[in-house]
Amino acid sequence: MKLRSVRGTHDLFGDEILKFNKIYSTVMKFSKLNSFNELQTPIFEFSELFSKPLGEESDVVLKEMYTFSDRNKDLLTLRPEYTTPMIRAAITNNLLNELPLKIFGIGPMFRRERPQKGRYRQFNQINFEILGSNDFIADLELIILANDILKTLIPETEYVLNINTLGYRDDLFKYKEKLSKYFSQKITKLSEESKKRIYSNPLRILDSKQENDISISNNAPKIQDNISIEPKQHFEEIKKELKNLNIDFNENHNLVRGLDYYCSTVFEFKTANLGSQDTILGGGRYDGLIKTLGGPDIPGIGWAAGIERISILMKKTQYGISKLHLAISDEKFKNHLLKIINYLKENHISFYWNYKYNFKRSLSKANSDNAKYVIIIGEREFNEDFFTIKELSSTKQTELKISQIKNFINDKS
Ligand code: HAM
């Protein structure tokens, strides 16, 4: 047997696991800051949990779910997304007694898609949800949270926020009918994929990437002309606050999202640097979904981001482990080295030393690891009882007594 991994799956090690852990710790930090509680669900559920809410005609349900029959004939599915399992867990564990419920989770999802850069069959998602509030401030909070997390992990120039509103579910239902009628008149010019969606999922034709579909969609009835006053106002409030907060966004009327449960606000953070897999993070409102799944008639909103997609866009400086390296020129100064090692450990400052008594090799390791500082121990440092800190970005050097090192590093970070 030839040993190999399953297509579309990948092992995490080296830089990839460092990035994963950095993403994980960033999510933990921001979830605490924003009072979200973690909720982990099993990786498989009864299949019926997904098929209706995600849309019988959605790509995920039609082509991508890993579904299997258990020995007792129960139909089970590896979770393709986190929102429906989160809601299932909130209902079955009676978590909806006190609202709003603010929950988050991180973990693997499974979709049988064609693997390519940024698209896998097992991938990891970060997922945040607020159940039980229809205040626009909940929408805003989630968008800001998404922005804060992304901005900590990847350069802001890498992504753009796109937002849209789909109106109430009734608005959307009527709008879909109008769209089906419009597209059916243009059927001969549509791509094969879009032809199949005319009646089942006409909204998806709007975000088709085929040239012909795009030009036909440009003249299609506009969602904005088919929306009730309240969701329109709700959307205006969000836009106004985003402007006040100086968060750049692009109002994209073709943004519809791929799953059926959305209504009202939808949003995506897109990048130009991931080829066709250009969405890093996506979400929106799903008022009505909780009731459909057997819970109370309360609204909900959330988002999910793909960890692998964020990871591709991360720069080394954003996930390197030890920003402080040590370099010593000779074994004769070992006692001075041990002094600083003990000091750094006592003060919980992480550091790296390559066990070499060789400046050149230690400095070159520090450079290749993108270290921020190197503490240098040479003859003068040993004789005069101080340490030299070299900042690699500027090559600036500062001479410090051991007790000054902690403050120096903290002030600079
Ligand atoms: P989604 O747009 O299907 O939404 O997925 C969210 C994110 O997961 C995508 O933007 C992408 O970064 C990542 N992703 C999706 N499929 C793959 C794949 N095959 N390989 C790698 N990454 C992938 C949802 O899943 C909704 N549940 C989001 C949500 C939460 N809406 C409300 N609450």
Side-chain angles (χ1 to χ4, degrees), residues 154 157-160 162 268-281 309 313:
I154 51 187
T157 47
E158 296 274 351
Y159 57 86
V160 178
N162 282 253
E268 286 185 349
F269 285 77
K270 287 179 172 288
T271 176
N273 300 330
L274 267 181
S276 60
Q277 302 314 305
D278 61 353
T279 308
I280 318 171
L281 180 154
R309 294 194 188 167
L313 300 171

Side-chain angles (χ1 to χ4, degrees), residues 222-314:
K222 296 278 171 274
I223 201 157
Q224 270 51 45
D225 304 330
N226 292 275
I227 286 176
S228 312
I229 301 277
E230 280 108 326
K232 228 179 211 167
Q233 277 170 349
H234 185 98
F235 191 54
E236 289 307 316
E237 303 263 30
I238 294 171
K239 287 194 297 182
K240 195 171 102 196
E241 286 311 315
L242 287 175
K243 279 182 195 148
N244 283 343
L245 292 164
N246 285 325
I247 297 180
D248 290 336
F249 64 88
N250 172 20
E251 189 173 344
N252 176 354
H253 293 166
N254 288 336
L255 179 69
V256 292
R257 306 278 301 129
L259 306 169
D260 253 19
Y261 50 60
Y262 292 106
C263 60
S264 193
T265 317
V266 286
F267 52 93
E268 286 185 349
F269 285 77
K270 287 179 172 288
T271 176
N273 300 330
L274 267 181
S276 60
Q277 302 314 305
D278 61 353
T279 308
I280 318 171
L281 180 154
R285 281 209 160 265
Y286 44 80
D287 305 344
L289 174 62
I290 302 164
K291 186 163 173 238
T292 309
L293 290 174
D297 190 5
I298 53 168
I301 176 165
W303 57 255
I307 289 189
E308 285 76 5
R309 294 194 188 167
I310 295 177
S311 183
I312 294 174
L313 300 171
M314 280 171 87

Side-chain angles (χ1 to χ4, degrees), residues 157-205:
T157 47
E158 296 274 351
Y159 57 86
V160 178
L161 166 64
N162 282 253
I163 54 173
N164 192 19
T165 179
L166 305 175
Y168 284 148
R169 294 202 79 78
D170 282 354
D171 300 336
L172 199 54
F173 184 74
K174 287 187 206 140
Y175 176 61
K176 280 185 190 170
E177 284 185 338
K178 273 193 192 172
L179 271 185
S180 297
K181 203 166 155 205
Y182 170 79
F183 286 126
S184 66
Q185 287 157 0
K186 316 273 175 200
I187 188 163
T188 51
K189 294 190 182 122
L190 287 173
S191 68
E192 287 309 309
E193 191 76 1
S194 291
K195 274 182 191 155
K196 287 188 221 145
R197 289 175 163 157
I198 292 182
Y199 295 102
S200 58
N201 201 351
L203 275 182
R204 287 309 303 279
I205 304 179

